[in-house]
Amino acid sequence: MSKKDMNLKEIFSELLLKIGFDSSDIEKKWLDLEKAYSKKSRHYHNLTHISSMIESFTAYHAQLKFPDEILFSIFYHDYIYVSSKKDNELKSAESALAVLPAQTTVNRQLIFDAICATQQHQHNANEDINWMIDFDLKILASDWNAYQMYAEQIRKEYRIYPDFLYKPGRAKALKHFLENDSIFQTNEFRDLYEEKARFNIEKEILLLTS
């Protein structure tokens, strides 16, 4: 296990202990989570993605009213990920609620809603969920080399589809982001990352359609 994974395990374990899990059950929950995110089919939606989101969570922790719910949601939001399925977020949300103990300190509905919100990435009435959406999408505003790597990883996850199906499908999904008033849902992320994300997305669409 890498040092980064060790740190993730510590954060996960401390959270679960805090929100009502039995200490004897936490190791098994971590192993289940690690197994899910370490499948060979996961080139992007893996523990590295979770770690990146937690870096953002740590940086903006003070902005959150319900940090425990959002942190738990981050860990489980891609727990189920099958590229050919459309209900990954719903299944992940259901899985997240299923592992919660009967006596927990967290708001189950908020966790369910936060995970489901990572499907459409639309503005939410709950500001904590908007932060979670932005943490999930921060990759879109990476420098171009990192963005290219992300795009290649997504392509590998959809490798069952030939280019003639994948390219227009991916371009359509990316255009959906551009059609929104803004990609990011919080003022902070819009100010920092909106312009860069739009540049990257437009550049990828050009590559996909040329």
Side-chain angles (χ1 to χ4, degrees):
M1 188 185 292
S2 69
K3 186 177 180 182
K4 183 176 279 190
D5 286 351
M6 278 295 290
N7 188 41
L8 275 185
K9 183 181 179 181
E10 287 170 18
I11 294 168
F12 180 80
S13 301
E14 286 173 13
L15 173 67
L16 265 56
L17 200 57
K18 181 183 178 185
I19 65 175
F21 281 78
D22 190 289
S23 57
S24 62
D25 193 38
I26 292 174
E27 178 71 16
K28 183 182 184 304
K29 291 292 184 287
W30 168 256
L31 291 173
D32 288 344
L33 193 86
E34 187 179 43
K35 182 180 178 182
Y37 282 99
S38 301
K39 290 177 179 174
K40 288 182 178 179
S41 58
R42 293 186 182 236
H43 299 273
Y44 174 73
H45 293 91
N46 50 34
L47 289 174
T48 301
H49 172 52
I50 300 301
S51 183
S52 296
M53 284 185 70
I54 289 173
E55 283 178 23
S56 293
F57 167 86
T58 303
Y60 293 95
H61 178 271
Q63 304 285 344
L64 301 169
K65 291 181 181 176
F66 300 97
D68 291 345
E69 282 83 349
I70 295 304
L71 184 56
F72 189 79
S73 298
I74 288 171
F75 273 113
Y76 279 93
H77 82 286
D78 286 325
Y79 184 72
I80 306 293
Y81 187 79
V82 181
S83 61
S84 59
K85 302 288 186 181
K86 303 273 188 198
D87 60 353
N88 290 315
E89 292 80 9
L90 174 61
K91 295 292 187 187
S92 295
E94 290 172 347
S95 297
L97 297 192
V99 302
L100 282 169
Q103 302 299 319
T104 181
T105 59
V106 292
N107 182 324
R108 293 169 181 270
Q109 188 64 50
L110 177 53
I111 289 167
F112 184 85
D113 292 346
I115 294 175
C116 287
T118 61
Q119 181 176 28
Q120 296 294 334
H121 298 104
Q122 298 289 327
H123 192 77
N124 197 280
N126 186 304
E127 192 63 11
D128 278 15
I129 293 179
N130 290 327
W131 282 105
M132 167 120 173
I133 290 168
D134 284 0
F135 299 161
D136 194 29
L137 295 183
K138 189 186 173 191
I139 184 68
L140 298 177
S142 304
D143 65 70
W144 179 245
N145 286 341
Y147 184 93
Q148 274 187 301
M149 187 182 297
Y150 149 74
E152 288 166 6
Q153 289 167 341
I154 295 295
R155 180 65 184 103
K156 287 177 183 176
E157 289 186 341
Y158 284 84
R159 65 192 177 280
I160 62 168
Y161 298 103
D163 277 352
F164 78 88
L165 287 176
Y166 176 78
K167 286 185 175 183
R170 173 69 175 169
K172 183 181 178 182
L174 291 170
K175 284 173 185 173
H176 179 68
F177 283 118
L178 298 181
E179 287 163 2
N180 293 332
D181 290 338
S182 56
I183 294 165
F184 296 104
Q185 307 306 320
T186 64
N187 290 330
E188 285 86 345
F189 270 58
R190 274 197 292 268
D191 291 345
L192 288 168
Y193 303 122
E194 185 76 21
E195 188 177 340
K196 182 66 172 174
R198 285 183 176 271
F199 172 83
N200 285 337
I201 290 170
E202 286 168 0
K203 194 168 179 178
E204 186 185 354
I205 290 171
L206 199 62
L207 291 171
L208 288 165
T209 56
S210 59

